[in-house]
């Protein structure tokens, strides 16, 4: 048979199949097939049978000062009986883990136990009312916990910060909590000095920020918290000027000092929110001890600031003349 004859034969078959597909016989055949499939699926779905399902276990609420000493089971395997449609719903993806609350640790022996009756009672929430449990394994859950030593350690903030030009820290950097409790073996705890945060990088900072920062995990140690709150107050600063009188220090009785000038000009930088700070936050001091040591006609003044909000303090003049007067 030639290639041309093969093609003609194939065309003839396709024409006959198309004619059959759109005939009443084809429609009857497909309808019968659909009804048969539906009847088969209904028969299978309603037939009672057995199946094995697996329920995962999740352990939660373990107190921070305890550690699990054994390897508790991670799942429960059940053999159940029910109609096929109900069994089909027990897919592993849909099963919520059975939770075991470890906060109920026995203070005497550090154990948490679930008997077969307790497990079966909890499993009933996962099953349809029509489902019968034939058996399950393991038939009990046992968790052994041990109490750990504790130690309070300061939090070390790993901060790389760059302020934008003309901005300063208004209230510093605050970490809450400033220290955390760590739990672990005493030998391990004795080697620790701080608990460090994850690295924070802030560039060209112009606004105050508040953020949560994770603590770096430490091997074989539990932490009372997983993260800390960090508050960084940032604001613009400006320049402020004031005229401040010269004060005197360490002057013995019977002697008085007069300076020329008696008042100096003070310039300093300060955050906008603290601009109305009174000038007595800055003192300009002439120390009598310095006068005795230097024995010069002019004495350099000392600047004392009582506020962390003030910086870059300058005075004019920096030196003053003075007169010592003795009193009888």
């Amino acid at each position: 048979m030639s290639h041309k004859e093969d093609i003609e034969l194939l065309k003839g078959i396709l024409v006959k199949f198309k004619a059959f597909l759109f005939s009443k016989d084809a429609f009857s055949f497909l309808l019968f097939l659909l009804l048969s499939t539906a009847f088969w699926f209904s028969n299978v779905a309603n037939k009672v049978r057995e199946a094995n399902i697996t329920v995962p276990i999740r352990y939660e609420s373990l107190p921070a000062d305890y550690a699990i000493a054994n390897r508790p089971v991670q799942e429960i395997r059940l053999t159940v009986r029910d109609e096929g449609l109900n069994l089909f719903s027990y897919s592993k993806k849909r099963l919520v883990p059975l939770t075991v609350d470890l906060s109920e640790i026995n203070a005497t022996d550090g154990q948490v136990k679930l008997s077969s009756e307790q497990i079966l009672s909890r499993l009933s929430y996962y099953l349809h009312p029509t489902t019968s449990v034939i058996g399950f394994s393991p038939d009990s859950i046992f968790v052994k916990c041990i109490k750990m030593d504790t130690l309070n350690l300061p939090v070390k903030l790993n901060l790389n910060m760059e302020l934008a030009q003309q901005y300063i820290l208004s209230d510093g950097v605050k970490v809450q909590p400033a220290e955390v409790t760590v739990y672990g073996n005493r030998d391990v705890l004795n080697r620790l000095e701080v608990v460090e945060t994850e690295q924070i990088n802030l560039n060209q900072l112009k606004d105050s920020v508040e953020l949560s920062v994770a603590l770096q995990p430490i091997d074989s140690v539990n932490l009372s918290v997983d993260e800390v709150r960090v508050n960084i107050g940032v604001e613009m600063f400006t320049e402020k000027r004031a005229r401040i009188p010269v004060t005197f220090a360490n002057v013995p009785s019977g002697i008085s000092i007069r300076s020329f000038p008696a008042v100096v000009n003070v310039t300093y930088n300060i955050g906008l929110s603290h601009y109305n700070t009174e000038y007595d936050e800055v003192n300009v001091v002439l120390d009598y001890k310095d006068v005795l040591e230097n024995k010069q006609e002019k004495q350099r003044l000392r600047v004392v600031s009582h506020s962390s909000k003030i910086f870059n303090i300058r005075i004019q003049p920096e030196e003053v003349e003075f007169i010592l007067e003795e009193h009888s």
Side-chain angles (χ1 to χ4, degrees), residues 277-291:
T277 300
E278 296 296 332
Y279 66 80
D280 60 4
E281 292 288 340
V282 177
N283 290 338
V284 179
V285 180
L286 175 58
D287 195 322
Y288 180 74
K289 291 183 178 180
D290 293 338
V291 172

Side-chain angles (χ1 to χ4, degrees), residues 263-278:
V263 178
V264 298
N265 296 314
V266 178
T267 305
Y268 52 85
N269 293 340
I270 187 169
L272 293 178
S273 65
H274 302 284
Y275 185 80
N276 293 325
T277 300
E278 296 296 332

Side-chain angles (χ1 to χ4, degrees), residues 29-153:
F29 172 77
L30 293 175
L31 180 61
F32 175 77
L33 180 62
L34 181 62
L35 291 174
S36 299
T37 302
F39 177 77
W40 173 84
F41 181 79
S42 176
N43 182 57
V44 171
N46 294 323
K47 186 176 181 180
V48 175
R49 60 183 62 209
E50 294 182 3
N52 296 319
I53 62 176
T54 300
V55 177
I57 300 175
R58 181 173 63 229
Y59 299 93
E60 60 182 25
S61 302
L62 177 69
D65 56 341
Y66 277 88
I68 297 177
N70 66 333
R71 294 183 178 180
V73 296
Q74 299 300 310
E75 61 185 23
I76 295 179
R77 297 175 297 278
L78 296 89
T79 302
V80 296
R81 179 185 292 117
D82 203 341
E83 295 179 352
L85 190 60
N86 289 335
L87 295 179
F88 181 76
S89 66
Y90 296 128
S91 64
K92 192 170 184 179
K93 292 182 179 179
R94 297 181 183 178
L95 288 180
V96 178
L98 185 150
T99 60
V100 178
D101 186 0
L102 297 180
S103 66
E104 302 176 356
I105 296 175
N106 187 306
T108 303
D109 56 17
Q111 298 180 0
V112 177
K113 298 179 181 178
L114 289 182
S115 65
S116 58
E117 292 79 9
Q118 291 173 311
I119 295 175
L120 188 59
S121 175
R122 296 193 181 191
L123 289 174
S124 64
Y125 293 102
Y126 293 78
L127 305 176
H128 297 295
T130 57
T131 302
S132 300
V133 178
I134 300 174
F136 58 91
S137 176
D139 59 4
S140 64
I141 295 176
F142 168 74
V143 183
K144 175 64 177 178
C145 302
I146 55 174
K147 194 171 181 62
M148 297 184 290
D149 293 314
T150 65
L151 179 66
N152 292 330
L153 291 176

Side-chain angles (χ1 to χ4, degrees), residues 151 153 185-194 219-220:
L151 179 66
L153 291 176
N185 180 276
R186 177 55 57 184
D187 292 337
V188 176
L189 298 184
N190 288 339
R191 295 194 294 268
L192 302 177
E193 296 181 356
V194 296
D219 291 340
S220 305

